[in-house]
């Protein structure tokens, strides 16, 4: 046999570089559901079911197209429990010329595969992942010599590179690069939010759900009501559904949260983008076509394009630029363990309960819930970055290290000193009240910072500001906060800090 071609669970793309020039007759494609990958964190049950099912469907498509595929189904007693063991076994049997793969999305696995030539004594070829707009070395060139890396400037480069939303003479459509100022509306129930795209489980998905329920019963979340797409064709239908029904309002309500709606106007495309069922330019082009056809406004389409070719590519660039040291960053010196209610949703804080409950049911919460609710709380409470990062990696269907880590450690926890934002995204209950209807149904009173029923976010916010004076008082974007804090009467400040101390002491019971 010529080559073993390893395809990972987030590499389900027919144009994967590992397949370039491959020989259908002689090469053997290897795909494996292995214990080490399925259990290195407490992956949500729906995340496991989605990835296993999408892998099985992809393997079936490859076989239909005439490829030879070795596929290992998950079983806890499989002799090969890791990808390395799978490759070692197959290499003994087939004596391949080379093992070919595309670079992994996680430093952990990338590091292992990079050693296989030594540990397995094989000829291993690792090819670049070309399914992103910006290559890893291209990002490093852009970043080189810059004092500050700002997503907004990177995003403009990506707009120019792709031509997305650019006029023929090289200007941004609509005269501005960014229409975010239009995108901060509270949602009050109208227009109604569309139901999310649904794909009912077929026989493969049903089998996988049974497997997950049997072997991963201790993992977080539920497989009930599984309705994610699991093939590229279904993912394209999900894209069409988003463009038709949610994109027109995506911009306006991008930052909104609701007590009654899990998905609002978000695209729910991240699982498909991150596993390769969809490609970033394909989804942006579809959105831009809707704008040209007058089916979606520019603020919505620009906002969507910015998330995909701006934020998504930027966080990947940061990850590969700074790993592996990046994962160890803890610039704010946090030491607190993750409160247990992150796993149970059992908290009187309505906004937290709603975000965690949706996460447990859907393996999904939208960006503002992740950033301004569960993330904000962890930041204000001073949770250890590694503990909160592990939670985000486990609980979301779209969570892969390259995208989860910079978002959590950088954007949410500000543990990297500010690559993802020039100031921390810390906010009091007032922000959550402005962008949602959670507070009206909450045990706590959002208007209070002191007293037994005062919203925890309020005193914790000032506690955060106060305890990190050294870190942020000289940040020009924070001077107003310090001025406001210092303006308050000393007794008031003391009472707020005392309330925060009480909350932190009794954090498991909030
Ligand atoms: P939409 O709101 O519809 O946005 C469209 C697309 O833009 C998304 O599908 C996604 O591909 C991309 N996107 C938007 N924001 C970001 C961002 N900040 N970083 C990268 N891509 C972005 N996204 C992940 O894909 N995987 C993760 O593990 C992940 N972890 C996160 C952890 C935290 C603490 C935070 C604050 C954000 C995280 N995000 C992550 C980013 C973002 O929340 C999700 O991409 C988004 O919620 C996915 O839902 P959607 O497809 O409906 O997104
Ligand atoms: Fe969240 Fe505070 Fe509002 Fe309750 S009052 S929902 S804890 S912000």
């Amino acid at each position: 046999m010529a080559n073993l071609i390893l395809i990972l669970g987030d590499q389900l793309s027919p144009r994967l570089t590992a397949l370039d020039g491959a020989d259908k007759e002689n090469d053997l494609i290897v795909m494996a559901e292995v214990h080490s990958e399925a259990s290195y964190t407490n992956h949500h049950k729906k995340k496991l079911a989605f990835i296993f099912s999408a892998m099985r469907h992809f393997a079936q498509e490859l076989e239909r197209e005439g490829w030879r595929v070795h596929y290992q189904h998950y079983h806890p007693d499989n002799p090969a429990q890791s990808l390395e063991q799978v490759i070692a076994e197959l290499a003994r049997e087939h004596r391949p010329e080379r093992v070919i793969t595309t670079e992994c999305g996680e430093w952990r696995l990338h590091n292992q595969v990079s050693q296989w030539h030594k540990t397995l004594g094989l000829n291993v070829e690792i090819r670049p992942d070309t399914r992103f707009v910006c290559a890893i070395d291209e990002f490093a060139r852009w970043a080189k010599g810059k004092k500050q890396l700002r997503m907004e400037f990177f995003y403009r480069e990506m707009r120019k590179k792709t031509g997305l939303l650019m006029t023929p003479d090289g200007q941004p459509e609509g005269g501005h690069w960014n229409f975010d100022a239009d995108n901060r509306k509270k949602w009050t129930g109208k227009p109604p939010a569309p139901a999310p795209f649904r794909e009912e489980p077929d026989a493969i998905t049903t089998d996988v759900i049974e497997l997950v329920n049997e072997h991963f019963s201790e993992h977080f979340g539920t497989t009930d009501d599984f309705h994610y797409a699991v093939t590229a064709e279904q993912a394209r239908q999900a894209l069409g559904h988003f463009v038709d029904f949610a994109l027109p309002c995506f911009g306006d309500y991008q930052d909104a949260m609701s007590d009654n709606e899990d998905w609002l106007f978000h695209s729910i495309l991240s699982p498909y983008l991150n596993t390769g069922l969809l490609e970033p330019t394909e989804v942006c082009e579809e959105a831009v076509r809707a704008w040209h056809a007058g089916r979606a406004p520019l603020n919505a389409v620009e906002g969507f394009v910015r998330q995909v070719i701006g934020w998504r590519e930027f966080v990947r660039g940061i990850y590969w630029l700074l790993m592996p040291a990046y994962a160890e960053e803890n610039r704010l010196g946090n030491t607190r363990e993750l409160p247990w209610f992150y796993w149970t949703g059992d908290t009187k804080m309505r906004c937290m309960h709603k975000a965690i409950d949706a996460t447990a049911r859907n393996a999904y919460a939208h960006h503002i819930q992740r950033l301004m609710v569960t993330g904000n709380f962890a930041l204000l409470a001073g949770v250890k970055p590694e503990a909160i990062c592990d939670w985000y990696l486990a609980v979301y269907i779209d969570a892969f290290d390259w995208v989860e880590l910079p978002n959590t450690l950088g954007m949410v926890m500000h543990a990297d000193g500010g690559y993802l934002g020039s100031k921390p995204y810390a906010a009091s209950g007032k922000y959550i009240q402005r962008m949602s209807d959670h507070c009206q149904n909450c045990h706590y009173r959002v208007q209070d910072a002191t007293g037994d029923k005062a919203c925890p976010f309020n005193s914790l916010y000032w506690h955060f500001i106060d305890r990190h004076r050294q870190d942020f008082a000289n940040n020009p974007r924070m001077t107003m906060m310090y001025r406001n804090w210092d303006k308050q009467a000393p007794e008031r400040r003391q009472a707020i800090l005392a309330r925060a101390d009480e909350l932190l002491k009794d954090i498991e019971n909030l």
Side-chain angles (χ1 to χ4, degrees), residues 392-428:
Y392 277 101
L393 186 63
V395 302
Y396 290 114
I397 191 167
D398 54 24
F400 296 89
D401 206 42
W402 65 266
V403 53
E404 174 277 321
L405 189 73
N407 269 298
T408 311
L409 186 139
M411 191 183 294
V412 159
M413 299 306 291
H414 211 80
D416 61 358
Y419 281 100
L420 277 294
S422 52
K423 73 173 185 62
Y425 283 91
S428 68

Side-chain angles (χ1 to χ4, degrees), residues 349-351 429 432-433 438-439 442 444-446 455-457:
M349 293 179 283
R350 181 76 176 183
C351 52
I432 295 170
Q433 182 190 30
H438 293 315
C439 303
C442 186
Y444 294 107
R445 289 164 54 85
V446 71
C455 166
F457 282 85

Side-chain angles (χ1 to χ4, degrees), residues 241-472:
H241 182 91
F242 162 65
V243 170
D244 287 346
F245 300 112
L247 179 64
C249 292
F250 174 85
D252 287 356
Y253 303 110
Q254 205 176 335
D255 288 359
M257 293 176 277
S258 161
D259 225 43
N260 305 309
E261 285 290 339
D262 291 338
W263 320 87
L264 287 170
F265 299 91
H266 291 273
S267 69
I268 320 157
L269 294 176
S270 50
Y272 316 133
L273 284 164
N274 295 354
T275 48
L277 299 183
L278 292 175
E279 295 225 359
T281 40
E282 161 186 25
V283 302
C284 291
E285 280 161 7
E286 194 68 23
V288 172
R289 265 196 292 277
W291 173 62
H292 280 301
R295 294 193 290 127
L298 186 54
N299 69 310
V301 173
E302 186 283 315
F304 178 73
V305 167
R306 177 156 29 90
Q307 305 312 314
V308 178
I309 65 164
W311 279 113
R312 185 170 184 272
E313 299 283 333
F314 185 73
V315 300
R316 177 175 183 260
I318 293 284
Y319 180 83
W320 288 109
L321 188 70
L322 302 173
M323 281 298 279
Y326 193 68
E328 308 297 320
E329 290 276 22
N330 183 8
R331 301 265 182 108
L332 298 182
N334 292 355
T335 53
R336 190 174 303 284
E337 296 302 334
L338 188 71
W340 188 244
F341 55 70
Y342 272 80
W343 297 109
T344 61
D346 192 5
T347 162
K348 298 188 283 293
M349 293 179 283
R350 181 76 176 183
C351 52
M352 289 287 282
H353 166 74
K354 280 286 169 181
I356 297 166
D357 177 60
T359 301
R361 283 183 288 108
N362 303 325
Y364 177 90
H366 59 74
H367 186 66
I368 291 302
Q369 290 175 304
R370 298 187 204 192
L371 181 64
M372 300 310 292
V373 179
T374 44
N376 186 24
F377 185 86
L379 172 73
L380 300 183
V383 173
K384 279 198 281 200
E386 68 181 277
I388 186 71
C389 287
D390 191 47
W391 184 78
Y392 277 101
L393 186 63
V395 302
Y396 290 114
I397 191 167
D398 54 24
F400 296 89
D401 206 42
W402 65 266
V403 53
E404 174 277 321
L405 189 73
N407 269 298
T408 311
L409 186 139
M411 191 183 294
V412 159
M413 299 306 291
H414 211 80
D416 61 358
Y419 281 100
L420 277 294
S422 52
K423 73 173 185 62
Y425 283 91
S428 68
K430 210 184 260 173
Y431 176 88
I432 295 170
Q433 182 190 30
R434 193 165 64 240
M435 297 315 300
S436 79
D437 54 355
H438 293 315
C439 303
Q440 63 209 46
N441 300 319
C442 186
H443 164 87
Y444 294 107
R445 289 164 54 85
V446 71
Q447 58 275 38
D448 295 348
T450 57
D452 283 353
K453 284 216 156 185
C455 166
F457 282 85
N458 292 338
S459 58
L460 289 177
Y461 172 75
W462 290 119
H463 196 273
F464 173 84
I465 293 289
D466 191 71
R467 74 176 184 267
H468 289 297
R469 189 180 284 275
Q470 288 239 339
D471 298 302
F472 301 122

